[in-house]
Amino acid sequence: MTMHVEREQLAAAHSTARQKLLAERKHDHWTGELSSSPLCTAAAISALVLAERHVDDTPEEGSALEHSWHSGMLVRSELSELFSQSLRWLAEQQNEDGGWGDADCGHSTLAATLMVKAAFHLTGVPAKYANLLHSAESYIEAQGDIAGLKKHFSDDKPFVAAILAICAMADIVPWRKVPSLPFELACLPESFFRMQRLAGFGSMLPLVVAVGQAKNHHSPSRNPLAKGLRHQAEGPSHVALARVQAADGSFSGSTLYTSFVIACLASQGQSEDPQVRKGTNYLLSKVRSDGSWSVCPDKDVSNTVLALQALGWNLGEPSSQAGEPSPEAEAALRWLMSAQMSEDTSRSGDAAGWPSSHCPGAVGNSFDTAGALIALAEWRRRWPRCRTAEITGAALDGVRWLIERQNRDGGWALSFRGSGKMAQEISSTDVTCQAMLALNAWKKVLRKSASSHPLIQSIERDLLKGLAFLDSQQRPEGSWWPLWSGSEFHPQGANPVIGTAQVLRVFSEMQVWQTTMAQRAVRWLVDVQFPSGSWGSGHVPSPKSVTRKKPVEREVHSVGSVEETAIAIKSLLPFAARIPAVQTSVNDGLSWLIEAASTLSQLDPTLVALYPPKVWYHDRQLACSLAVNTLAAACRANEVKTADVDTVHV
């Protein structure tokens, strides 16, 4: 590949970004910095207000309240101060249209705005923020209010019910508007859900039980049969809820879900229930210094995997990287291996996968399991004789775990192999691509070390099924839309740049260069590059090859992001040597990325990621990891030798 950028500039940009990424390491792993969330902050405030509201200031001696975290004026005073601080933070986050975003600096969403409105009402200080709430009302009405919320989350009834339940507790929505949830199903054995291919129900069980019980408590069914059935199910379902609460007091490893559960239980007068006490302590332990919360504490496994892939396990001094891993790499490996789910850490008894976070309540998922497997395959490539048995054993367990989760359509869902009735069970191109990259990487490892291993045939069969799934998902213009990556600037919230780039990387690794799918995707990705050389999803520019006589109106936002540009360049690099137009596109993109890399610490992160279900968030480390990964790949492709890049990597 012929470069237009100076080799020295490329090497310097890579070194700068690499040093920034290394500086963010916390001893043996990376935690990143997850965005504060108005949505989650409002939910946490609501939960704490409701938990505090249903207790006595002066408990009798010897009562259960005597040693409650709620009791005593000192605690109430501290909570009041926290509420005031959190409300001030929320007031500062209101957008010009009157709404609030899921993440700080994000576009307004109906879910976040309804939750913030409820939080202000629950705290009893709406009069102080009258103008603020008046603007919020206008935004909510413009977005369709409850009908708009249900339409947006049409495939996630528990989440809608949780938001509306909080609103009902704040007396801004009648309880009859809150959907009923079948919390009585929690009384059924797990084998029932496996037989019915409803594995996703387990992940939603905390919301289904807590919100379902709250709805039944405040607005019971008029049907005598249903009323009697749910009355009988209250006790057993509560036991089921306690069983899935993590040791740290969280539910599903999520601050947001924990807030919903605690609010619903407290609204029924259960403030002194052990689950509520543990949950409130968890929420209080996760509040940030400015009074805000994020949707989950961190994504340290995801961030560590991204960093290791970007750095190629080169974590120590360059002189220590040649013959054996550095102490820093060894420490990171131990941490990553410890994050793998075991029978002791998997609450569902479903071990061998990796979660997105190493926190007690996290659950393994296909995307992060695949990412960890890719990182371990890279270790095996670099140091094939170092800790071979340990790494191979853990990785093959993960490979089998991943194979078992392939859906019948050939794709992979985020969390479960199921019926596809829930978002976590639906096959998606982004998760499928990650799974295929992991399986292909370990197929290569096994061919070198154990060419007759029985898993090789299984992997090859599943990869062919995955290619067929990707073929079925390509859109007419040549792009793919991922499910768990998006763009706030895209009209449908999709991110075709990231989706298409992910698929092209699979084609590159599997060497399916000449397929019609690949050629159409390459042309599309080149055509939607911005004139600056960057990529983004704010609008799709007219193809460069098309000449128009009249100017075409375009959306205002046409600024690319580091995240999308880095992913696009990395996916096009293997095609650059074969197609001149791609080479030009890559060179333009690299020029933009090199300049951006010098100011990574000052750049605002881009909202390109979604947290189930459809909740926006950003992580400041993402841009840095992706930039390092792409700049290192560009150095290898152009044989730019630096002390930090393994030039023989393929």
Side-chain angles (χ1 to χ4, degrees):
M1 173 183 167
T2 303
M3 281 198 310
H4 296 161
V5 298
E6 294 291 335
R7 291 174 177 268
E8 292 78 9
Q9 289 180 327
L10 177 58
H14 172 260
S15 180
T16 299
R18 178 181 180 273
Q19 291 303 319
K20 173 174 171 49
L21 184 57
L22 283 172
E24 294 181 359
R25 185 177 67 218
K26 309 295 184 184
H27 179 57
D28 54 3
H29 68 285
W30 284 258
T31 59
E33 184 183 343
L34 216 62
S35 54
S36 290
S37 167
L39 170 66
C40 190
T41 299
I45 292 173
S46 299
L48 292 173
V49 167
L50 288 161
E52 181 223 25
R53 176 185 293 179
H54 292 86
V55 297
D56 189 353
D57 281 326
T58 56
E60 296 180 4
E61 185 177 355
S63 72
L65 296 178
E66 184 178 8
H67 302 292
S68 168
W69 71 272
H70 308 284
S71 62
M73 296 306 294
L74 177 61
V75 173
R76 283 194 181 276
S77 173
E78 291 173 343
L79 283 174
S80 296
E81 184 178 346
L82 171 60
F83 296 155
S84 297
Q85 183 185 25
S86 298
L87 292 177
R88 284 196 300 270
W89 184 86
L90 284 173
E92 293 169 358
Q93 300 299 315
Q94 188 175 31
N95 292 325
E96 292 183 1
D97 59 9
W100 282 265
D102 296 336
D104 55 2
C105 304
H107 290 180
S108 298
T109 69
L110 186 53
T113 305
L114 283 169
M115 283 300 303
V116 173
K117 178 184 174 182
F120 276 109
H121 278 269
L122 281 167
T123 53
V125 292
K128 181 179 178 181
Y129 298 96
N131 293 334
L132 175 149
L133 292 176
H134 178 73
S135 299
E137 286 285 1
S138 299
Y139 174 82
I140 291 170
E141 183 178 352
Q143 296 300 311
D145 207 340
I146 296 176
L149 182 73
K150 291 182 176 180
K151 181 179 179 180
H152 183 69
F153 294 102
S154 58
D155 58 349
D156 204 320
K157 185 177 178 180
F159 190 67
V160 172
I163 292 174
L164 293 180
I166 301 291
C167 292
M169 295 169 204
D171 295 324
I172 60 176
V173 167
W175 272 102
R176 59 182 174 81
K177 295 284 189 180
V178 180
S180 295
L181 298 180
F183 68 91
E184 59 272 13
L185 291 180
C187 305
L188 297 174
E190 292 183 7
S191 58
F192 170 82
F193 301 103
R194 288 195 293 268
M195 287 189 297
Q196 298 297 318
R197 301 192 70 205
L198 295 172
F201 180 81
S203 66
M204 303 304 295
L205 186 143
L207 286 189
V208 172
V209 172
V211 179
Q213 286 188 352
K215 165 70 173 181
N216 186 60
H217 176 84
H218 295 284
S219 179
S221 173
R222 295 181 179 180
N223 184 317
L225 182 61
K227 187 174 182 179
L229 175 64
R230 289 171 182 167
H231 177 72
Q232 293 294 322
E234 287 179 356
S237 63
H238 196 76
V239 172
L241 183 62
R243 194 162 51 239
V244 299
Q245 187 173 26
D248 62 356
S250 68
F251 290 92
S252 302
S254 166
T255 311
L256 182 60
Y257 282 14
T258 303
S259 299
F260 285 142
V261 172
I262 299 310
C264 288
L265 295 181
S267 75
Q268 303 171 63
Q270 300 179 33
S271 294
E272 282 307 312
D273 186 283
Q275 294 180 51
V276 176
R277 294 185 64 176
K278 289 170 63 179
T280 50
N281 286 334
Y282 170 82
L283 293 178
L284 290 170
S285 71
K286 300 304 178 184
V287 64
R288 296 180 169 177
S289 59
D290 59 3
S292 68
W293 281 264
S294 59
V295 291
C296 58
D298 59 56
K299 287 186 171 287
D300 51 3
V301 175
S302 300
N303 282 324
T304 299
V305 165
L306 275 174
L308 292 175
Q309 291 178 9
L311 296 166
W313 291 97
N314 292 331
L315 310 185
E317 294 298 324
S319 59
S320 67
Q321 294 165 5
E324 59 184 23
S326 65
E328 293 86 352
E330 288 272 11
L333 176 67
R334 287 192 297 270
W335 187 91
L336 183 61
M337 297 282 282
S338 72
Q340 186 175 23
M341 306 294 288
S342 66
E343 293 296 339
D344 294 332
T345 58
S346 177
R347 289 179 290 115
S348 62
D350 197 14
W354 273 265
S356 62
S357 172
H358 207 346
C359 67
V363 179
N365 68 82
S366 297
F367 192 90
D368 290 295
T369 296
L373 291 173
I374 294 169
L376 293 180
E378 173 66 8
W379 177 288
R380 278 293 309 271
R381 185 196 68 80
R382 291 184 61 85
W383 302 294
R385 294 179 178 84
C386 181
R387 304 182 68 168
T388 304
E390 178 186 0
I391 291 173
T392 302
L396 293 187
D397 286 344
V399 167
R400 295 185 186 95
W401 188 93
L402 206 54
I403 288 174
E404 292 173 357
R405 270 154 184 73
Q406 188 173 30
N407 280 332
R408 290 177 179 176
D409 59 10
W412 274 265
L414 180 65
S415 302
F416 307 100
R417 182 178 187 271
S419 62
K421 295 180 180 179
M422 303 181 69
Q424 290 90 339
E425 299 174 341
I426 299 173
S427 295
S428 61
T429 58
D430 41 356
V431 180
T432 298
C433 287
Q434 185 85 329
M436 292 176 68
L437 288 171
L439 293 179
N440 193 60
W442 275 95
K443 182 185 74 171
K444 293 178 180 179
V445 171
L446 292 175
R447 277 183 170 172
K448 287 184 178 181
S449 59
S451 57
S452 61
H453 198 287
L455 271 179
I456 294 177
Q457 289 186 344
S458 297
I459 290 174
E460 290 177 339
R461 181 180 64 249
D462 290 346
L463 288 175
L464 289 175
K465 292 180 181 178
L467 284 175
F469 171 77
L470 294 178
D471 187 14
S472 71
Q473 297 298 305
Q474 189 173 29
R475 299 176 68 84
E477 73 279 3
S479 70
W480 281 267
W481 286 16
L483 183 60
W484 300 110
S485 297
S487 170
E488 281 199 312
F489 300 108
H490 190 277
Q492 286 79 45
N495 201 313
V497 170
I498 288 181
T500 306
Q502 289 170 324
V503 177
L504 283 177
R505 186 181 169 199
V506 171
F507 291 164
S508 173
E509 292 293 329
M510 295 185 63
Q511 298 184 350
V512 286
W513 313 93
Q514 302 303 323
T515 63
T516 302
M517 270 197 302
Q519 298 304 314
R520 289 173 59 211
V522 168
R523 285 195 299 270
W524 181 87
L525 195 56
V526 169
D527 284 346
V528 299
Q529 186 178 21
F530 293 141
S532 64
S534 64
W535 276 268
S537 296
H539 68 79
V540 177
S542 303
K544 297 175 182 177
S545 58
V546 177
T547 302
R548 297 183 182 272
K549 296 180 181 180
K550 296 181 180 180
V552 179
E553 291 186 8
R554 295 180 176 178
E555 295 184 24
V556 175
H557 186 86
S558 60
V559 178
S561 70
V562 171
E563 294 89 338
E564 291 157 296
T565 302
I567 291 176
I569 294 172
K570 177 77 181 289
S571 70
L572 290 174
L573 272 171
F575 298 88
R578 297 172 174 81
I579 309 173
V582 176
Q583 181 173 305
T584 300
S585 178
V586 168
N587 281 323
D588 292 345
L590 277 174
S591 296
W592 186 92
L593 185 61
I594 287 171
E595 182 177 353
S598 63
T599 56
L600 270 175
S601 57
Q602 285 79 44
L603 292 176
D604 290 329
T606 303
L607 285 172
V608 295
L610 298 173
Y611 179 85
K614 297 181 183 177
V615 174
W616 294 99
Y617 76 93
H618 61 71
D619 193 313
R620 291 188 176 275
Q621 186 190 311
L622 181 61
C624 189
S625 292
L626 294 176
V628 173
N629 198 331
T630 295
L631 292 171
C635 287
R636 288 191 294 267
N638 294 281
E639 298 181 351
V640 175
K641 295 182 178 180
T642 73
D644 307 324
V645 177
D646 177 7
T647 57
V648 301
H649 178 75
V650 178

